[in-house]
Amino acid sequence: MNETILIVDDEREIADLVEVCLKNDGYQVQKFYNASSALSSVEKEEPDLAILDVMLPDMDGFVLCQRIREDHLFPIIMLTARVEDMDKIMGLTLGADDYITKPFNPLELLARVKTQLRRYTRYNQGVPAKEIPEFDIRGLSISRDSHRCTLNGSEVSLTPLEFDILWYLCSHQGAVVSSEELFEAVWGEKYLDSNNTVMAHIARLREKLHEPARRPKFIKTVWGVGYTIE
């Protein structure tokens, strides 16, 4: 194992704890206590995954996440003491792949890291074309072979998680997929009733597909049931 994890947290004790947990599991670590140093590092050497605090001394962690997402697709996990649902939704909408609140269980953090890295590795390696087809739905094309998505010929930049969500919906075209089914299929974890993760990622996908809020062309909401691509 030689994956590099970026840690950005101004609470040195927390940053040190996360560093020890990751290194004990075989990961390399780049650790920073402010956003500007982390951004400079990312531009020089891209990590395989980032763990970001929200409340940083020089930049809001949500802004840092957004800045990273302008040019990079590696997984981002927000690790923060802010537990409000709207904070979580904001982080996921701005491009984070997961959100863990403090205090946290180091074993849970490691499990989340491994889950995100598996998805990212699969996304970059691709799979044989003969095993996975390509969908083309009214100008929206998505290929599991090349891991590319285009809309009317223009490429849509998706994170690995966003790709998996869209792929699952496309592969179930015509059926209504519940939030529970979508979460458990893509995240591989048990769905909780209070989980807003799916909603936040659907909102971000719609934004990237230039979907009008009230009359989406592709990802439609079936209220009280789930989501569908007709």
Side-chain angles (χ1 to χ4, degrees):
M1 182 185 301
N2 58 3
E3 291 98 334
T4 298
I5 312 298
L6 173 72
I7 302 171
V8 189
D9 198 317
D10 66 333
E11 294 185 72
R12 293 175 181 263
E13 291 183 358
I14 297 293
D16 293 345
L17 172 62
V18 175
E19 179 184 27
V20 169
C21 292
L22 292 171
K23 284 188 172 180
N24 285 344
D25 214 58
Y27 295 103
Q28 299 181 40
V29 171
Q30 297 173 340
K31 182 176 62 176
F32 299 96
Y33 304 119
N34 60 72
S36 56
S37 297
L39 277 175
S40 297
S41 175
V42 167
E43 295 309 316
K44 294 175 183 176
E45 182 180 358
E46 181 173 301
D48 296 288
L49 180 145
I51 300 173
L52 311 180
D53 186 20
V54 172
M55 293 179 284
L56 296 169
D58 58 338
M59 182 185 298
D60 187 286
F62 293 139
V63 176
L64 174 58
C65 175
Q66 191 173 29
R67 290 277 298 275
I68 290 174
R69 274 288 171 258
E70 290 175 359
D71 300 301
H72 305 279
L73 295 176
F74 57 80
I76 296 175
I77 298 176
M78 307 301 294
L79 181 63
T80 176
R82 291 166 62 168
V83 299
E84 292 81 2
D85 281 348
M86 286 309 300
D87 288 323
K88 181 175 182 179
I89 292 171
M90 179 180 294
L92 296 172
T93 301
L94 292 175
D97 298 282
D98 206 348
Y99 194 105
I100 301 176
T101 56
K102 302 173 183 177
F104 62 95
N105 184 325
L107 293 179
E108 179 186 0
L109 176 61
L110 279 174
R112 300 285 187 95
V113 166
K114 291 177 180 178
T115 297
Q116 294 300 332
L117 286 174
R118 279 197 302 270
R119 179 177 291 116
Y120 188 56
T121 300
R122 185 174 73 245
Y123 178 90
N124 283 306
Q125 289 180 343
V127 293
K130 64 181 180 181
E131 295 182 10
I132 301 295
E134 177 178 313
F135 293 101
D136 192 334
I137 303 172
R138 300 186 300 280
L140 174 65
S141 297
I142 184 170
S143 169
R144 200 63 187 263
D145 174 41
S146 62
H147 283 274
R148 293 181 68 245
C149 176
T150 60
L151 180 60
N152 298 322
S154 299
E155 186 154 2
V156 181
S157 179
L158 301 178
T159 67
L161 188 56
E162 291 164 352
F163 183 96
D164 283 353
I165 294 170
L166 186 58
W167 177 266
Y168 193 85
L169 290 173
C170 288
S171 64
H172 291 76
Q173 183 182 2
V176 179
V177 179
S178 68
S179 294
E180 178 179 0
E181 177 186 346
L182 187 58
F183 184 86
E184 294 185 357
V186 174
W187 276 264
E189 301 176 15
K190 185 65 178 176
Y191 179 83
L192 301 176
D193 290 340
S194 60
N195 198 321
N196 293 308
T197 304
V198 172
M199 180 178 67
H201 281 284
I202 291 293
R204 184 164 175 82
L205 266 174
R206 284 173 169 162
E207 180 182 345
K208 289 189 173 184
L209 296 176
H210 309 296
E211 293 264 62
R214 295 191 176 183
R215 297 182 62 86
K217 179 180 178 182
F218 298 107
I219 305 175
K220 298 184 178 181
T221 300
V222 180
W223 295 107
V225 184
Y227 303 97
T228 185
I229 291 183
E230 298 176 344

